Amino acid sequence: MVNRIVVGAHYGLRDWLLQRITAVFMIVYIAVFFVQVLSGPTLDFATWRMLFTPQWMKYATLLFLFSLYLHAWIGVRDIVMDYIKHAGLRLALYSVFVAALVVYAAWSVRILWGI
Amino acid sequence: MSISKRQFDAVVVGAGGSGLRAALQLAEANLKVAVLSKVFPTRSHTVAAQGGVAASLGNDGEDNWHWHMFDTVKGSDYLGDQDAIEFMCRKANEAVYELEHFGMPFDRTPDGKIYQRPFGGQTRNYGEGPVKRSCAAADRTGHAMLHTLYQRNLRAHTQFFVEWMALDLIRDAAGDVLGVVAMEMETGEVMILQAKATLLATGGAGRIYSASTNAFINTGDGLGMAARAGIPLEDMEFWQFHPTGVAGAGVLITEGVRGEGGFLLNKNGERFMERYAPTVKDLASRDVVSRAMATEIKEGRGAGKDGEYILLKLDHLGAEVIDKRLPGIREIAMKFANVDCTKDPIPVVPTCHYQMGGIPTNIHGQVYVPDAGGEKVVHGLYAAGECSCVSVHGANRLGTNSLLDLLVFGKSAAEQIIRDIGSEKAQKELPKDATDRPLARLARLDSATSGESVAEVGAEMRRTMQLHCGVFRFPDSLAEGVRKMLAVAERVKHTFIKDKSKVFNTARIEALELDNLVETAVASMISAAARQESRGSHDRSDFPNRDDVNWMKHTFWWKEGDRLEYKPVKLKPLTVESFQPKARVY
Amino acid sequence: MRFSIYRYNPDTDAAPRMQDYDIQLEPTDRMLLDALVRIKEHDDTLSLRRSCREGVCGSDAMNINGRNGLACITKLADVKEPVVIRPLPGLPVIRDLIVDMSQFFKQYHSVKPYLQNDTPEPEKERLQSPADREELNGLYECILCACCSTSCPSFWWNPDKFVGPAGLLQAYRFLADTRDEATSERLDNLEDPYRLFRCHSIMNCVDVCPKGLNPTRAIGKIKEMMIKRTV
C-alpha cells in the first residue's frame, strides 16, 4: 500500500464562511429595506429616490449588492464544481461569470450614485 | 489450468477479532502478511458481539485474575485446559488496556476508567456473588472492537484480500502446511497463497443449526479445511445455546441485559431462575440458564400462544438506563420482536450461539494432532478464535470470554508465528498436488448437470442438528441423528448449482460453504453420540451426571473413517494450584 | 409477494434488466432479506451480499423502492408491492445487487480513521470522562453500509474527491475523541473545497441512515471546529 498522505487544499472554509456572512447581511438589509418602504406614506418614484439619497443607504445598498454578487459567485462556482468536469469548459464558464459579476458591480456603483 | 501463485510470510484466513488482532501484530513486525476475508473486515461476525470483553480490571469493585480463572474453569464444567485458562485470564487486563490504547470507545465510569458490568458466571471470591468484569461499549462491544482493530490495521498498512474465500489448505507429504488455495469471489479466479505460516481465524460454524444467532458467513470454513487436510476437530459436541435469542428470529439479545438487572419470567410471571441458581439467579452460566428455560418450556410453563418461549423483562430498568447501556437491544426488540422493551418483556428462547470445540491448538496458537498421549505440532499451521479449541471454554463458555479469547490468542498466535518464521528464510517447495482437492471441488460444481439444491440439503442438515443435537440430547435421537447426518454428508457430494458463471457467483460460494458446514455437523453429531455423560452444554437424558472418572477428556474426531480419539484434560495450570472438579452450583 | 429486482451478470448479460418474481413466503419470513434468501432458493443466480441479518454488519445495503436501506431490517409488511430492488446508486455494479465499494472505502481510509496519540501509553487505560465519551455516541456506531454516501448527490458527482457523509462522520468521530491528538492534521486533511465543502446539507444521508446517525450534524461540527481554529 502506498503511504500517500492525503492533505486538503487548505481553502474552502473562507468561501463557505463568506457565503454565510453575506447571506446574513442580505437578510438584515432586506428586512431594513422593507421596513423603510412600508413605513413610508405611498410608494412612488419620489419616495423611492428619497430612500436612496442618504450616503449610508447608498453604501449599505452597495454592500448588499456586492454581497449578492459574492454569494452568487460562490454558489455558481459550487454548481460548476459539482457538475462540470471538463477543465477548459469550466475555466470558460468561470470567466464568463466573473466578467459578468464585475460588470454588474461597476454598473451598481453607477446606478446608486446616479440616482 | 495454470494457477497463479503469490508468496507471503504469513497468511491469515479470516478478518474477525482474532484474525485482525493477529494481523496487526504481524504487520507491525514488518512481516509480509495477507489477510483473506469472505467479507469486508468490519462485516465479520465479531461485529455482532454485544455485552463486553472479560478482564479483572477491578474498576468497579475488587477483582483479580485468579477469581476469573476459577469462574472460567467452573464455567467450562472442568473440561477447559487449566494452563490455557490461566494464560488467558492473566493476559486479560493487558489485552483490554491495549484495545483502549488502540482507540476502542469503551463506556466510562465516573472517574474515567473503563466501564464494567456483571455477566453470567463471572463471580467475586470464587462464586460468592456477581462481579463487574465485563468491559463494555454500550451493547455494541464487538462492533466497537472489530472497527477499532480494523482501524489499527489500516495504520499498520496490513494487506487485505477482501472477498476472497480460502478453499483448502496446502499440506505436503511431511504434514507441513504451506499456505492455502483461495478464490477471489469477484472474478472466480483461483490462486495459491503460499506462506511460511498459515493462521486460521475463520470463526465458528453456528450455521449448522436452524435456529442460530450466527451470521450467514459462519460456516466453519477453517474447520472444513482442517478436516479435509487430515487434522482432527476437538470437542465438537459442545455447542453453546445462548439463553436469549429472539423467539422466531434467532437474533441475539445480550446477557448484558441480565447483567444490567433484567431477568427471565415464565408464563406465570415467576422469576424461575431463583429455583435453578439460588445465588446468582439469572446470571448463572449459559448452559445452566438455557437448560432451565428449556425445562420451563418443556413442563408447560412457557409463555406465548403455544407456550413456546420465555419472557425477558427489563422495563424496570427504566428507559434512561436502557437507552444508555442497551440501545442496540431496544432497536433489535423493536425490529425483530415488535416489542418496546421499555414497556414489555422480550420473547426469547435458547438459540445456538457458540462453538466451544474446534481445531486443536496450544496456547501459542499452534495447531496440533494428538499423538501417543502427547501433542504433535502441525508445522506451519496456526489457529485462533472460535475456530480453534485451546481449550479455554471447555464444555461451556462464559459470556465475554470469547472476545477475550480472540484478543489473547490472536496475539499469542502471531507472536509464535514471528518467533517461528524468524529463523526460516525460504519457502518450502509446494507439493505437486497442492491444488488438486480445491480444483476437484470446483470442477464438480461446474460440471454437475443435475442433483439436489444446496439450499435443500443445507436445510436438512440444519434440521437434523436442531432436532437431534439440541439443548437436551437423547440416546435414540442421537443415534438417529448420526445416521441422518451421514446421509446428508453423502448428499452434499451430489449437490448441483444452476449458476455456472464466474463473477461473484454466490451460489458456488454457498455450495463450497456447505462442504465445510457438513464436516462440522458430522463431527458434532458423532462426538455427541459418543460422549456418555452430561457436562456443560452436552446434556444427555441417559447419562444425567458428569462423569469425571471416565470423561474428563477431550474428544478428537477425524474425518477419515469418522474415527474418535480422546485426550485427558490438562488440570495443571502454568503456575498456580489446580482447581479440582466440584459439583457446579450457581 | 411480488418483487422486481435489478439483474446484471457481466458473464451472460449484455445489459442490466429488471426481473420480476412472484414468490410464496413462509410465515417466518418477516424481513426483506428473508424474502431475498427465499428467492435465491428458487433462483440461485441472484447474487447479493448478506451476513449478520440483524443490521450490524452493513452487508445488505440496497435501494428498496427508491430508498437506500438494509434488507435485513426492512420489514416486508412495510414495503409496497411490487418491491423494486436495485443496487446502491452511484457505485459501479459488479453483479446484480453487488456494487464495487472501493471508492467508498478509499474515502473512508483517507480520513485516517484510527486513533492518533503519540503520548507514551499509560500502564492502564487512558482516562476519559463519561461526558467526553458521550461525544462519541452517534458517531462510532457507523456500520459502513454506504446507504448514506450513495444517497448523496454530491458523492454521486464527485466520489473520487468528496469524502462523503460516512467518511466525514468517521473523521468527526476521531476529532471528537478527547484521546486523539491529531486534531490539527485532521482539519488540514479536510479543509478543501472538495473533500469537505461539497456537502450542501441536502441531508439525504440523515434520512436514510439505518442506524439513525446524523452525518450532516457531524459535518457542521467539523466546520465549526475549523472556524474556531481560524478565529
Side-chain angles (χ1 to χ4, degrees), chain B residues 114-190:
Chain B
I114 294 171
Y115 169 78
Q116 296 187 285
R117 63 161 63 110
F119 237 73
Q122 306 277 18
T123 67
R124 157 173 55 79
N125 202 15
Y126 313 103
E128 251 175 32
V131 73
K132 293 180 179 173
R133 188 178 289 149
S134 164
C135 311
D139 54 0
R140 305 188 178 96
T141 313
H143 171 278
M145 177 171 138
L146 188 68
H147 280 253
T148 302
L149 287 172
Y150 176 66
Q151 290 161 351
R152 191 73 175 183
N153 270 287
L154 286 178
R155 180 176 173 270
H157 304 300
T158 306
Q159 188 178 0
F160 287 100
F161 286 69
V162 175
E163 290 174 336
W164 279 65
M165 180 180 183
L167 302 177
D168 270 296
L169 294 171
I170 302 173
R171 210 173 170 201
D172 67 8
D176 296 356
V177 171
L178 308 177
V180 292
V181 178
M183 181 174 76
E184 183 179 25
M185 288 155 68
E186 188 182 330
T187 58
E189 305 257 332
V190 175

Side-chain angles (χ1 to χ4, degrees), chain A residues 10-79:
Chain A
H10 293 289
Y11 77 97
L13 176 67
R14 200 198 52 204
D15 298 339
W16 179 82
L17 202 56
L18 259 179
Q19 204 175 26
R20 264 95 203 133
I21 293 169
T22 51
V24 170
F25 181 78
M26 286 192 288
I27 290 171
V28 173
Y29 176 90
I30 290 168
V32 171
F33 182 78
F34 268 94
V35 170
Q36 290 271 349
V37 169
L38 294 177
S39 61
T42 48
L43 188 59
D44 52 20
F45 185 66
T47 42
W48 180 255
R49 266 194 75 149
M50 281 297 291
L51 205 59
F52 291 100
T53 331
Q55 280 296 316
W56 71 266
M57 190 58 186
K58 282 194 199 314
Y59 281 111
T61 308
L62 190 65
L63 207 54
F64 167 75
L65 290 169
F66 279 12
S67 294
L68 179 65
Y69 302 147
L70 207 54
H71 192 90
W73 160 240
I74 298 168
V76 167
R77 195 201 58 181
D78 268 353
I79 296 170

Side-chain angles (χ1 to χ4, degrees), chain B residues 40 42-43 47-48 50 59 97 100-114 137-138 140 143 147 150-152 154-155 163 186 207 212-217 247-252 324 331 334-336 338 455 497-499 501-507 510, chain C residues 9-12 30-31 33 37 40-54 56-59 72-73 75 94-95 98 101 105 108-109 113-115 121-130 133-134 136 140-145 170 173-174 177 179 210-211:
Chain B
F40 184 76
T42 64
R43 320 223 187 280
V47 81
Q50 297 172 351
N59 284 352
Y97 289 141
E100 195 281 329
H101 297 155
F102 293 167
M104 170 102 170
F106 281 113
D107 285 1
R108 299 289 169 160
T109 62
D111 50 355
K113 295 179 184 167
I114 294 171
R140 305 188 178 96
H143 171 278
H147 280 253
Y150 176 66
Q151 290 161 351
R152 191 73 175 183
L154 286 178
R155 180 176 173 270
E163 290 174 336
E186 188 182 330
R207 279 274 153 187
S212 168
T213 64
N214 281 206
F216 281 106
I217 54 168
V251 175
L252 175 69
K324 185 162 182 202
E331 223 176 284
M334 201 73 96
K335 292 229 158 78
F336 289 92
N338 280 323
I497 52 171
K498 204 169 71 188
D499 189 351
S501 61
K502 287 273 176 219
V503 174
F504 233 115
N505 184 340
T506 49
E510 285 177 18
Chain C
N9 180 349
D11 280 351
T12 54
R30 277 182 285 192
M31 299 292 178
L33 181 62
V37 169
K40 192 165 171 59
E41 281 176 11
H42 297 286
D43 176 4
D44 69 10
T45 64
L46 174 67
S47 281
L48 66 142
R49 293 189 177 105
R50 82 282 177 274
S51 181
C52 74
R53 61 87 179 85
E54 58 188 58
V56 294
C57 79
S59 297
C72 59
I73 50 173
K75 286 182 185 160
I94 296 174
R95 174 179 177 168
I98 298 175
M101 296 182 73
F105 289 124
Y108 168 61
H109 296 161
Y114 44 81
L115 192 80
E121 287 150 359
E123 204 175 305
K124 294 188 169 182
E125 67 266 61
R126 290 197 168 97
L127 299 181
Q128 184 174 48
S129 74
R133 165 61 183 77
E134 213 137 284
L136 306 184
Y140 81 95
E141 300 94 323
C142 172
I143 57 173
L144 300 176
C145 66
Q170 288 317 296
R173 177 247 173 275
F174 288 97
D177 196 322
R179 299 169 297 172
K211 306 310 281 182

Side-chain angles (χ1 to χ4, degrees), chain B residues 141-344:
Chain B
T141 313
H143 171 278
M145 177 171 138
L146 188 68
H147 280 253
T148 302
L149 287 172
Y150 176 66
Q151 290 161 351
R152 191 73 175 183
N153 270 287
L154 286 178
R155 180 176 173 270
H157 304 300
T158 306
Q159 188 178 0
F160 287 100
F161 286 69
V162 175
E163 290 174 336
W164 279 65
M165 180 180 183
L167 302 177
D168 270 296
L169 294 171
I170 302 173
R171 210 173 170 201
D172 67 8
D176 296 356
V177 171
L178 308 177
V180 292
V181 178
M183 181 174 76
E184 183 179 25
M185 288 155 68
E186 188 182 330
T187 58
E189 305 257 332
V190 175
M191 194 196 269
I192 293 175
L193 291 116
Q194 191 180 0
K196 297 175 199 165
T198 303
L199 172 68
L200 295 175
T202 56
R207 279 274 153 187
I208 60 172
Y209 285 87
S210 316
S212 168
T213 64
N214 281 206
F216 281 106
I217 54 168
N218 289 18
T219 54
D221 298 342
L223 301 155
M225 286 191 276
R228 283 191 295 274
I231 291 156
L233 302 181
E234 182 179 352
D235 289 344
M236 290 307 296
E237 61 271 45
F238 298 103
W239 284 91
Q240 177 162 82
F241 290 83
H242 195 290
T244 53
V246 174
V251 175
L252 175 69
I253 299 286
T254 176
E255 194 168 308
V257 169
R258 283 169 286 140
E260 294 287 348
F263 48 79
L264 297 162
L265 296 175
N266 61 20
K267 76 166 180 194
N268 306 323
E270 182 205 2
R271 193 176 171 187
F272 59 88
M273 279 313 296
E274 288 173 340
R275 276 189 278 122
Y276 296 87
T279 314
V280 292
K281 305 180 181 87
D282 296 82
L283 287 177
S285 73
R286 288 178 180 168
D287 57 332
V288 174
V289 180
S290 283
R291 238 179 336 262
M293 290 168 70
T295 306
E296 291 297 301
I297 293 170
K298 202 174 64 178
E299 291 174 0
R301 291 188 294 278
K305 196 161 79 302
D306 305 310
E308 73 277 23
Y309 55 75
I310 295 294
L311 297 168
L312 175 62
K313 178 179 156 64
L314 68 159
D315 57 290
H316 57 281
L317 302 180
E320 200 184 324
V321 171
I322 292 174
D323 285 339
K324 185 162 182 202
R325 300 290 181 208
L326 305 162
I329 291 308
R330 189 169 182 186
E331 223 176 284
I332 287 174
M334 201 73 96
K335 292 229 158 78
F336 289 92
N338 280 323
V339 162
D340 179 358
C341 65
T342 62
K343 297 192 179 79
D344 299 302

Side-chain angles (χ1 to χ4, degrees), chain B residues 370-386:
Chain B
D371 180 48
E375 298 173 354
K376 192 176 153 215
V377 167
V378 178
H379 189 80
L381 186 63
Y382 306 77
E386 190 172 342

